[in-house]
Amino acid sequence: RKVSASTLNGSTLAMPVMIVDTHALRVLRRIGLLTANADYRAASEAVTEAMTGRWDGADFLLFHAILKRLGQTICRHEQPICVACPMVDDCPTALRVRKMSLI
């Protein structure tokens, strides 16, 4: 699915389809755009549906790249670095992490 979405976005077809890899899925779950049990397909379909007509293939490619980088560097699997995240004020996971650190 990821390869297909990448091909559709990056080719001359420039079709708007959200590319979802492990990092993007983790970020989308943590910021509350998806449920905790949403899979790759559900993530791709939800974001694609929400942004179709607003974004083109290039926009989806850029969004995927941003989410992937955020997931690789700040919103990491092992331990997110919420204080360094640009979404810290809007992220439910960051809010939970802050509350737990005060306990």
Side-chain angles (χ1 to χ4, degrees):
R1 188 159 187 97
K2 180 178 121 179
V3 172
S4 297
S6 298
T7 301
L8 289 171
N9 278 324
S11 71
T12 56
L13 296 172
M15 294 181 68
V17 179
M18 179 62 194
I19 304 163
V20 180
D21 62 11
T22 302
H23 305 292
L25 184 62
R26 179 173 55 255
V27 173
L28 290 168
R29 285 176 177 166
R30 285 184 176 166
I31 62 176
L33 292 178
L34 301 171
T35 61
N37 62 348
D39 63 6
Y40 296 92
R41 181 184 189 119
S44 178
E45 290 175 357
V47 176
T48 299
E49 183 178 326
M51 300 314 295
T52 295
R54 300 177 200 184
W55 286 1
D56 61 15
D59 294 324
F60 279 103
L61 280 172
L62 179 60
F63 186 57
H64 171 259
I66 291 167
L67 288 179
K68 182 173 183 161
R69 179 61 56 134
L70 182 63
Q72 289 172 329
T73 60
I74 295 172
C75 194
R76 300 178 305 180
H77 172 70
E78 311 82 34
Q79 182 67 37
I81 309 169
C82 295
V83 296
C85 183
M87 304 217 22
V88 68
D89 294 331
D90 300 310
C91 179
T93 301
L95 181 61
R96 283 193 302 276
V97 168
R98 274 190 276 187
K99 284 182 179 177
M100 290 184 68
S101 67
L102 296 174
I103 297 174

